[in-house]
Every structure is written in C-alpha cells, then in structure tokens.
Amino acid sequence: MNNQYQELFDSQKENQYALGNSTFRERIEKLEKLKQALEHGYKQQIREALYKDFKKPHLETDLTEIYPVISEIKFVKQRLKGWLKPQKVKSPLVLVGSSSYYVYEPKGVCLIISPWNFPLNLTFGPLVSALAAGNTVILKPSELTPHIARVMEDIITSIFKPNEVKVVQGAVAETTALLQLPFNHIFFTGSPQIGKLVMQAAAKHLTSVTLELGGKSPTIVDKSADLKEAAKRIAWGKFVNSGQICVSPDYVFVHEAIKADFIKEMKLVVSEFYGANAETSASYGRIVNAKHTGRLQKHIQNAKDLQGTVELGGHFNADENYISPTVISNLPEEATLLQEEIFGPVLPLKVFKEISEVVSYINSKPRPLALYIYSKNKSQIKYISANTRAGSMCVNTNVLQYSNHNLPFGGVNNSGIGKAHGLFGFQEFSNRKSVLKQFTRGSIELLFPPYTDLKQKLVDLTLKWF
Ligand code: NAD
C-alpha cells in the first residue's frame, strides 16, 4: 500500500517499545516541557493564533484552552507513579500456588484527531493521557483553525522527535490517508457523523477507538429553580465560545409558569455580560468561519419561517462571522434548531407542564453528551436522573463537569464511546494486561489427563464448593 504517512508510522512503530519502557520520571519530564511551553514559551503566540482564528478573547484562551491542559498535566504528574505500578488482585482457592496482577502497558502507536472549537485543549488534552501511558502519537488538528494548528506543530517539534510525537496538518484527504494505517488506538473528537467514518476505518484493523462526539444536550429549568442563577449559568454555558462547545446547553425546557420570567432574566444577564450590543463586546467571540455562520443564519431563518418567536437577539453580521446571543421560543418540532446539533449561540426554548413530557422527549432522541437540571426539588432531580441516560449530568450548573479531572468525560452511543481525563484518559490509551504467575505446582496438575474416576470426583467437588 502506498501511503504518504507510512514512513512516519513505521518510525513510531519501531520506537514504541523504547518509548513504552520509559520511566515515570522520563514521561513526567516530557509533560513538564509541554507545560512550560504552554505557560511561558508559547503563551502569547497561542493567544494571538486563537484570536486570528476566531477572535477568541485572550482571557477565554487562558481559561478554556491553556489552563485545562496545564491542570491535566499537574493531575497526571501527581498520580502517574501509582497508575504505573502493577495492581495486585486476589486469587481464588483453585489457583493455589499462583499470584495475579494487572499492569497498564501502552497501546503503541496512537492517532489523535481533533476538532476546531477548542483546538489546543482538545489536541493536547488527550496527548497528555497518551504520553502518560507511554505511547507514540500522530496528532491531526483541525484544518479550520490553521493559526493555532501551526503553533501546536511548532510546540511539538520543539519538544519531541517525529518518532515520538508528530503533527500532521490536513483536512479530509490527509485524515482519510492516516486512517488507513493500522494504529493501535485512535482518539477522535468531533461530530457523530465523522465519528462513524473513523470507527469504520478502525474496524478494518480492529483498532480500538475513543470517540468524543457531540449532539443535543438538553437543559431543564423547573418551577423550583433559582431563575436568576439558572439564567446566568445557562447564558454563560451557551454563549461562551459563541456556543461552539460540545457540552453547551443545546436547548432548554422551561416550565410554562416561569417562561416569561426566565426570558426576562436571560435578557438581563446577556446585557450584563456583553452590553447592549455583543458585536462590540471584547468578551464575545465569533463563529469559526463563513460556512458555520451561514449554517446558523439558516437555522434562524428557518425558525422565523416556521413562526418561531425571537425572544432575544437574532442578529448577525456575515462579514464578521458574528451571530448575536439568541433565544427563540414557540418552535414546531420540525424546526432545524430542534433537529440538529446547534453548535452556536442560539438557544431554542421549549415549555413543559409535566416533567414526564420532558423525560419522554429526551428519551425519544439519541443519548446526549450532557444533561442539565436546574431545580431545588430533590425528587424531581432523582426522577429525571433515573429515567434518562447521558454521558454526564449537572445539577444547577452546566459545562463545569468537564473541568473535574476526577470525573470520566465522554458520551454514550451517539454522543461517544470511551472516556477522557485523568485516570480514565490514561486507561483509554493503555492495555490492561493481566499477569498470572505460577510459583508452586498448583491444583490444576491434579486434573491433567488422563481423566480418571478420582479426577471426576475432584471436579464434582470443585463445582460444588469452589
Ligand atoms: P468534525 O467531525 O467535522 O471534524 C473533526 C476532525 O475530523 C477534524 O480534524 C477534521 O479534519 C476531521 N474530518 C472531517 N471530515 C472528515 C472526513 N470525512 N474523514 C476523516 N476526517 C474528517 O467536527 P468539528 O466540526 O471539527 O467539531 C464539531 C463537532 O465536534 C461537534 O459535533 C461537537 O459536539 C463535537 N465535539 C465533541 C467534543 C467532545 O469532547 N465530546 C468536543 C468538541 C467538539
């Protein structure tokens, strides 16, 4: 097979055992270099690149791109030694004369494919897990944020040899070529649609996959909720990064009795956050490109055509890839805003009378990456939690589950396969190898052929008592 990346792949394949045998200290040293590059060497370049890519405010870059990777490195640094130790397990009596443990060994040559919405965080975050586990890695960042992709390549080239970690730039053709190679693991973050293509390609080599996907994450606000607080958190979750967040609240279900008050609070909080016109606010970002701006404009137009009520915003400036913070209610179910993942600063609002309607609605859709409930009613929260399925859930907040490294992060079915962050990310890039050591002759020898009546009696006893 003539593959443009074969040579690179082979060099990593050859190096995988040397790298896999690296000590805890050697791995930490590399992670520390990456941390230094983010904290000091390349911080300003990262900020400028993300501003060029989609006017990401510097503070948001520090908080949502640089900080999560640094804190992931710190988390791993404190725990990696323990994770790398053989984990002893008990042995049943029939295995007398042996001991057992399992150990995390690196999977080998890994591919990380990342999206554009948090391009640094979602490329280097999984990289930290992969390196901690002792793998070689090829990174394929998104082509839609080329400035930061270039800076990431510079950072990687300054720390790693190509047979350890290498950035491959490119779009569909390049990723398709990479996907033909027999990687030991693929970690993909992106849309469910492309996730299916990745899984199909991986199936050819029975390569394991982690798929961090997206979808429509529901938010529920019931009558008992603190409306001011709920509106503030929902507005932040929906409008930070202009709604281009996999775990942002996609749509909101509000109890009909509090609809007007909730909308009033949303209007107030949006003007507090971004002033009278978000377009002139230094705290509000842009949509990544003209294609995605056009996609969101079409959603808003479709909502208007179907007599939806624009409660807030609905403005755009296509030349600037600007879409204002927007809330739209009274949408019929066929509205595209209720059918597709929005991935932008537009919040459809639905009303409900009984919580069971909400649960049925959510369960009629693919399983979401996140589910958010604003309520003070414990039994209502318990009911929703017990009768729905989601990758993660927050009560009285949103998005923040991403930043707790002690929690597994990922979806379920259509929203993803496998988990990231902390120990869970490390496990994703590791093979849990079982080891059984025989140190005396053991009971099994009593059962070796030829099978005699006495041995049959021993088996009968074993089945009955052990
Ligand atoms: P995408 O699926 O279009 O692209 C992701 C990556 O796949 C990019 O690197 C891209 O170059 C590559 N790609 C695109 N088309 C391809 C093809 N035909 N064959 C092979 N590779 C291809 O996703 P996106 O637009 O970059 O990101 C948005 C999506 O990502 C949303 O659905 C969002 O919810 C999801 N997302 C999920 C998470 C998570 O952690 N679960 C985080 C961020 C984004």
Side-chain angles (χ1 to χ4, degrees):
M1 182 178 58
N2 185 15
N3 189 304
Q4 68 211 87
Y5 304 113
Q6 189 71 52
E7 213 175 300
L8 169 64
F9 180 86
D10 289 343
S11 74
Q12 293 207 350
K13 191 175 166 187
E14 204 182 315
N15 188 32
Q16 64 173 311
Y17 295 100
L19 203 68
N21 288 329
S22 55
T23 62
F24 150 76
R25 274 185 206 296
E26 285 163 340
R27 292 184 198 182
I28 293 298
E29 215 172 281
K30 286 279 160 69
L31 290 175
E32 190 57 41
K33 281 190 182 164
L34 182 61
K35 181 167 160 282
Q36 289 298 324
L38 300 178
E39 246 170 356
H40 304 293
Y42 287 85
K43 186 172 178 183
Q44 199 50 28
Q45 285 184 48
I46 293 167
R47 287 168 158 186
E48 281 161 20
L50 282 163
Y51 192 79
K52 279 186 197 145
D53 281 330
F54 55 136
K55 285 207 172 154
K56 193 160 191 154
H58 286 354
L59 186 144
E60 255 180 57
T61 292
D62 291 357
L63 196 66
T64 64
E65 299 273 12
I66 296 176
Y67 169 73
V69 183
I70 289 178
S71 84
E72 181 82 39
I73 293 174
K74 285 184 182 161
F75 188 90
V76 166
K77 228 174 115 177
Q78 284 163 5
R79 292 161 180 82
L80 183 58
K81 203 172 176 183
W83 297 345
L84 290 174
K85 281 188 182 149
Q87 315 285 322
K88 279 197 172 168
V89 296
K90 287 184 180 165
S91 300
L93 207 55
V94 285
L95 292 179
V96 65
S98 72
S99 67
S100 294
Y101 63 89
Y102 63 88
V103 64
Y104 291 105
E105 61 177 24
K107 283 199 171 165
V109 187
C110 299
L111 172 65
I112 295 175
I113 304 172
S114 53
W116 51 264
N117 64 325
F118 289 98
L120 181 109
N121 179 354
L122 296 174
T123 307
F124 285 172
L127 176 66
V128 172
S129 302
L131 293 174
N135 296 282
T136 72
V137 184
I138 295 179
L139 295 168
K140 211 301 288 172
S142 173
E143 69 282 14
L144 299 191
T145 37
H147 295 95
I148 190 66
R150 192 55 63 197
V151 176
M152 288 195 285
E153 186 170 358
D154 290 347
I155 294 174
I156 292 302
T157 313
S158 74
I159 304 174
F160 301 97
K161 293 191 209 112
N163 66 359
E164 292 174 273
V165 185
K166 172 87 178 140
V167 171
V168 167
Q169 304 284 2
V172 177
E174 291 78 4
T175 321
T176 307
L178 280 170
L179 284 169
Q180 286 166 11
L181 295 165
F183 285 96
N184 299 107
H185 189 73
I186 300 174
F187 189 107
F188 170 83
T189 308
S191 58
Q193 184 199 350
I194 307 300
K196 288 176 191 170
L197 299 180
V198 170
M199 200 163 168
Q200 267 172 24
K204 277 204 180 139
H205 305 289
L206 291 177
T207 295
S208 55
V209 290
T210 308
L211 303 177
E212 294 282 342
L213 309 178
K216 295 182 80 63
S217 297
T219 292
I220 304 160
V221 185
D222 84 3
K223 272 193 290 191
S224 69
D226 177 335
L227 276 193
K228 226 180 209 354
E229 207 48 43
K232 198 181 274 178
R233 284 169 184 267
I234 293 168
W236 174 73
K238 185 69 182 179
F239 303 132
V240 73
N241 213 37
S242 296
Q244 300 163 114
I245 310 184
C246 57
V247 282
S248 91
D250 187 272
Y251 61 96
V252 63
F253 258 114
V254 178
H255 191 276
E256 63 174 6
I258 54 166
K259 177 187 171 190
D261 288 342
F262 177 78
I263 291 169
K264 198 170 114 201
E265 290 298 339
M266 284 297 283
K267 286 180 180 168
L268 274 174
V269 77
V270 165
S271 72
E272 263 171 45
F273 282 0
Y274 308 113
N277 179 7
E279 194 172 0
T280 57
S281 165
S283 305
Y284 192 69
R286 294 294 180 267
I287 305 305
V288 70
N289 60 18
K291 186 177 152 212
H292 281 281
T293 309
R295 179 180 65 79
L296 289 160
Q297 278 177 259
K298 273 193 202 150
H299 276 315
I300 295 173
Q301 192 52 52
N302 171 270
K304 287 178 180 167
D305 292 346
L306 293 169
Q307 316 301 321
T309 311
V310 178
E311 306 281 2
L312 169 67
H315 312 297
F316 52 82
N317 176 354
D319 295 338
E320 278 287 311
N321 290 334
Y322 166 79
I323 303 273
S324 68
T326 297
V327 179
I328 303 181
S329 69
N330 297 323
L331 285 168
E333 200 41 40
E334 69 264 31
T336 55
L337 280 171
L338 294 178
Q339 296 300 323
E340 297 163 23
E341 179 182 6
I342 298 169
F343 222 59
V346 184
L347 183 70
L349 184 151
K350 289 172 74 70
V351 288
F352 70 93
K353 282 195 182 96
E354 300 297 332
I355 200 66
S356 55
E357 297 164 34
V358 178
V359 165
S360 308
Y361 183 86
I362 292 170
N363 289 343
S364 71
K365 308 277 175 194
R367 293 182 169 176
L369 186 57
L371 186 145
Y372 303 122
I373 309 166
Y374 292 85
S375 173
K376 288 183 191 140
N377 181 334
K378 282 188 185 159
S379 64
Q380 189 108 299
I381 296 167
K382 205 169 161 192
Y383 169 77
I384 298 166
S385 174
N387 291 289
T388 57
R389 297 289 178 269
S392 60
M393 188 178 107
C394 291
V395 179
N396 294 323
T397 193
N398 53 202
V399 178
L400 296 177
Q401 76 275 32
Y402 183 87
S403 38
N404 186 349
H405 302 292
N406 292 299
L407 285 174
F409 181 81
V412 51
N413 299 131
N414 194 65
S415 54
I417 294 176
K419 302 287 168 181
H421 296 180
L423 175 63
F424 309 99
F426 169 82
Q427 287 174 331
E428 213 67 8
F429 282 100
S430 303
N431 170 44
R432 222 175 294 194
K433 183 164 79 179
S434 300
V435 181
L436 186 145
K437 277 188 184 168
Q438 191 73 45
F439 51 82
T440 64
R441 292 178 71 187
S443 58
I444 188 72
E445 292 201 13
L446 299 173
L447 300 175
F448 286 164
Y451 301 134
T452 59
D453 287 349
L454 176 67
K455 287 177 185 175
Q456 181 62 58
K457 278 185 186 137
L458 280 172
V459 170
D460 292 345
L461 272 175
T462 306
L463 289 178
K464 193 164 180 191
W465 297 109
F466 297 107

